[in-house]
Amino acid sequence: MKLSIFLAIGLFLSELVSAQSAVDFANLAKYRDDNSAIVNTKKKVDVVFMGNSITEGWVKSHSEFFSENNYVGRGISGQTSSQMLLRFQNDVVALKPRLVVINAGTNDIAENAGAYNPDFTFNNIKAMADIARSNGIKVIIASVLPAASFPWRKEITDVAQKVDALNSKLKQYSHSHKLAFTDYNTVMRNEKGGMREGLSSDGIHPNSAGYAIMEPIIKNAVHQALGRK
């Protein structure tokens, strides 16, 4: 009898841990300690980069670019725009930055969290921009980077066309609402709409050469948005 009780308790605790992991759909835990440190020390943050593995990899590849410019990276590998929206309050607003750079859409098109709905993705990005602006945070919406196919979802077709359509919609929205739109895509794409050779090892994630192209583009955009010379 005692063995059965202990077994039942063990199974319950195992299920509880699994349930808690499943509940954190947006992975709020990833930057919880870092966010608390910034908030508790009242550190002033100029820019938060909200994104997926492209942003997370950027910080890992060239952390000095972020530290030297008082930028904070909040990228999480594999995330879609809906997950970013869920953690936007914790990972962006709570840090009280002057500006946020939003780079989302790649994993939506890759169907990481279900079938791709361009309107749903656009509305998630728009919602993040609206939340930022309502909290006095300036916004830069970054284009989705070039992609011709996804190595982990090769069955998805017309990838470049979907990327271009979303970028067109984001650019139009940014201009109509007087938000900055940063275009990485045009200078990094090949004639088929994929990533130019030499800028990525898998056609999705930039390497050091890819990030070297992106850095002056976004730094200039940030300077303009914050009124710097």
Side-chain angles (χ1 to χ4, degrees):
M1 179 66 72
K2 289 184 179 180
L3 182 61
S4 297
I5 293 174
F6 287 136
L7 180 60
I9 292 173
L11 289 172
F12 171 75
L13 291 175
S14 177
E15 290 176 359
L16 180 61
V17 170
S18 297
Q20 288 176 331
S21 298
V23 167
D24 193 8
F25 172 69
N27 199 357
L28 297 173
K30 182 174 180 66
Y31 292 110
R32 182 177 293 144
D33 292 342
D34 290 342
N35 291 341
S36 295
I38 290 173
V39 172
N40 292 339
T41 59
K42 297 182 180 180
K43 177 184 175 182
K44 292 184 179 180
V45 174
D46 282 336
V47 183
V48 173
F49 284 64
M50 168 58 77
N52 49 41
S53 56
I54 292 169
T55 298
E56 185 175 11
W58 197 348
V59 177
K60 291 178 180 179
S61 173
H62 194 187
S63 60
E64 295 85 359
F65 176 68
F66 288 80
S67 60
E68 292 172 359
N69 290 289
N70 197 23
Y71 299 162
V72 172
R74 288 295 178 264
I76 297 182
S77 178
Q79 285 209 337
T80 62
S81 60
S82 56
Q83 292 169 299
M84 294 181 205
L85 177 58
L86 286 173
R87 64 185 177 89
F88 198 81
Q89 179 68 39
N90 291 28
D91 287 351
V92 178
V93 177
L95 307 186
K96 299 180 180 180
R98 298 176 65 190
L99 183 150
V100 62
V101 178
I102 303 171
N103 191 355
T106 296
N107 292 320
D108 295 60
I109 297 172
E111 301 186 3
N112 280 19
Y116 174 55
N117 183 320
D119 291 330
F120 180 70
T121 298
F122 169 75
N123 285 332
N124 286 337
I125 296 172
K126 177 180 176 295
M128 285 188 272
D130 289 344
I131 292 170
R133 296 174 73 191
S134 69
N135 283 276
I137 301 169
K138 294 181 182 295
V139 176
I140 293 176
I141 295 179
S143 68
V144 181
L145 270 63
S149 64
F150 300 109
W152 64 98
R153 293 299 300 274
K154 293 183 179 180
E155 70 276 16
I156 296 176
T157 60
D158 302 322
V159 174
Q161 290 82 356
K162 292 172 183 175
V163 169
D164 289 347
L166 179 57
N167 279 338
S168 178
K169 198 166 186 177
L170 292 174
K171 184 176 182 179
Q172 183 179 19
Y173 167 76
S174 299
H175 290 174
S176 63
H177 288 76
K178 297 181 180 180
L179 301 177
F181 178 80
T182 296
D183 182 9
Y184 302 129
N185 189 290
T186 299
V187 295
M188 299 179 73
R189 66 188 287 145
N190 59 29
E191 65 280 359
K192 294 182 179 179
M195 190 81 75
R196 273 171 41 203
E197 186 176 354
L199 301 183
S200 171
S201 61
D202 63 0
I204 301 295
H205 301 92
N207 54 24
S208 57
Y211 288 127
I213 290 175
M214 295 166 65
E215 288 177 4
I217 294 174
I218 193 60
K219 190 172 182 180
N220 182 60
V222 167
H223 283 193
Q224 288 187 15
L226 296 181
R228 296 173 176 171
K229 293 183 179 180

